[in-house]
Amino acid sequence: AEPDAESALTRVRGAPERYRAAVVDLAMPAVDGSSLVTMLRELAPALPVLVLSGQVSTGELVPGATLVLAKPA
């Protein structure tokens, strides 16, 4: 787990093959989750990216996301 997008990108950039999936929230400090999904796709195109957020409905489209799940209320 990383506290922000830049930390997550640094970790994946260092060894993308170590990760089986990324779980991203849309509400993040500095860089929003949608932008992080796009950046992760550029770094590791085959990496599944799951979006888990209170700002979306399950199944809603987030460009680049493998799966979108709504956080329970």
Side-chain angles (χ1 to χ4, degrees):
E2 295 299 327
D4 56 49
E6 192 54 45
S7 297
L9 289 169
T10 298
R11 187 175 283 252
V12 172
R13 195 176 288 124
E17 69 284 351
R18 291 185 63 202
Y19 299 95
R20 304 201 94 173
V23 179
V24 175
D25 193 338
L26 292 181
M28 299 178 67
V31 175
D32 66 82
S34 292
S35 296
L36 177 56
V37 170
T38 300
M39 291 183 262
L40 286 169
R41 281 281 174 235
E42 291 170 3
L43 283 174
L47 182 70
V49 180
L50 313 175
V51 172
L52 179 64
S53 181
Q55 299 177 353
V56 296
S57 299
T58 295
E60 188 172 326
L61 293 179
V62 174
T66 306
L67 179 66
V68 178
L69 298 172
K71 286 182 181 177

